[in-house]
Amino acid sequence: QVQLVQSGAEVKKPGSSVKVSCKASGGTFSSYAISWVRQAPGQGLEWMGRIIPILGIANYAQKFQGRVTITADKSTSTAYMELSSLRSEDTAVYYCARTGEVQGPKGYYYYMDVWGKGTTVTVSS
Amino acid sequence: DIQLTQSPSFLSASVGDRVTITCRASQGISSYLAWYQQKPGKAPKLLIYAASTLQSGVPSRFSGSGSGTEFTLTISSLQPEDFATYYCQQLNSYPPGFTFGPGTKVDIK
């Protein structure tokens, strides 16, 4: 059973960057995409982007374009999410999630079935 | 971008009640929709994908339906462990836009 283990909590200054890791254990890493989702305190879920490790291709939500970089290291089964130019509004729990797909009659149906426990990132001066 | 709305935002229900949550998309998304349950301090849990396919291990009291712009999540008989916040998510295949709805909190009456 695959598990996603995330790196520990971070406290960052405004304007700096943070890099969060997500290591997969117990299953196949490259066969799936890895998405990153964040949740600000008391707020809903926000999808940031995803990477397909086997292809090395990343897609980002428009809101985060230019500020987020998602990478993956197949040799260590680890995905990374780096967010730059941090501001207080980036204070949130950041989750990685395995993103699978099944083929349907009109295309691929995606889903996020395995999640990390989350990494708290606090941005404060 | 495709926007999702959920109704109600909050509902109060009793154990044994039948509960229905609606998710509406700003444009048609076929069946590219998933539902998640989240409890405080925990990661979301996948319940339903492809609008109506029950994730393995999820109790059969959960069901999903709909296509196009209107979707529903139904809990046939609410159990104590079901009190949580529920999110819909659209997963349009191209461009990849995996937007979440704002959530519906299900609380104990």
Side-chain angles (χ1 to χ4, degrees):
Chain A
Q1 175 77 343
V2 66
Q3 289 186 319
L4 299 177
V5 180
Q6 297 186 224
S7 51
E10 302 263 13
V11 179
K12 293 292 183 179
K13 299 284 189 190
S16 66
S17 298
V18 68
K19 191 170 186 176
V20 180
S21 67
C22 170
K23 182 175 176 61
S25 63
T28 306
F29 177 70
S30 296
S31 300
Y32 293 85
I34 296 289
S35 290
W36 287 89
V37 175
R38 78 176 187 181
Q39 187 169 38
Q43 302 301 308
L45 302 170
E46 187 171 33
W47 181 78
M48 301 178 69
R50 68 165 181 173
I51 188 163
I52 305 171
I54 198 170
L55 299 176
I57 294 174
N59 306 107
Y60 305 112
Q62 189 170 3
K63 174 178 178 177
F64 298 100
Q65 285 273 7
R67 209 161 65 92
V68 68
T69 304
I70 298 173
T71 57
D73 182 342
K74 289 181 289 185
S75 67
T76 59
S77 299
T78 303
Y80 300 91
M81 185 284 300
E82 183 170 22
L83 187 63
S84 62
S85 303
L86 290 170
R87 35 210 188 228
S88 58
E89 309 90 89
D90 294 318
T91 294
V93 177
Y94 289 76
Y95 294 102
C96 60
R98 186 176 79 167
T99 305
E101 62 183 34
V102 292
Q103 190 164 16
K106 297 183 180 180
Y108 288 94
Y109 297 108
Y110 299 95
Y111 54 86
M112 297 178 189
D113 64 339
V114 179
W115 293 67
K117 292 185 184 298
T119 296
T120 299
V121 175
T122 303
V123 182
S124 174
S125 55
Chain B
D1 284 6
I2 297 172
Q3 307 297 323
L4 298 178
T5 58
Q6 288 184 233
S7 59
S9 300
F10 176 88
L11 74 87
S12 187
S14 301
V15 172
D17 284 353
R18 181 181 181 88
V19 168
T20 298
I21 299 169
T22 299
C23 177
R24 290 184 175 87
S26 58
Q27 57 187 274
I29 56 170
S30 185
S31 298
Y32 299 114
L33 191 102
W35 290 95
Y36 300 84
Q37 175 194 68
Q38 188 182 32
K39 296 181 180 180
K42 300 294 187 182
K45 174 186 174 182
L46 175 67
L47 300 175
I48 303 276
Y49 64 95
S52 60
T53 301
L54 192 68
Q55 169 68 354
S56 176
V58 174
S60 59
R61 63 180 180 273
F62 291 92
S63 63
S65 64
S67 67
T69 60
E70 187 157 328
F71 303 85
T72 59
L73 173 71
T74 300
I75 309 172
S76 60
S77 178
L78 199 65
Q79 298 302 299
E81 60 268 30
D82 300 337
F83 292 96
T85 300
Y86 293 84
Y87 294 92
C88 59
Q89 182 194 28
Q90 66 90 8
L91 301 103
N92 228 10
S93 56
Y94 185 81
F98 294 174
T99 320
F100 287 93
T104 296
K105 185 175 182 180
V106 177
D107 210 344
I108 302 172
K109 183 182 283 184

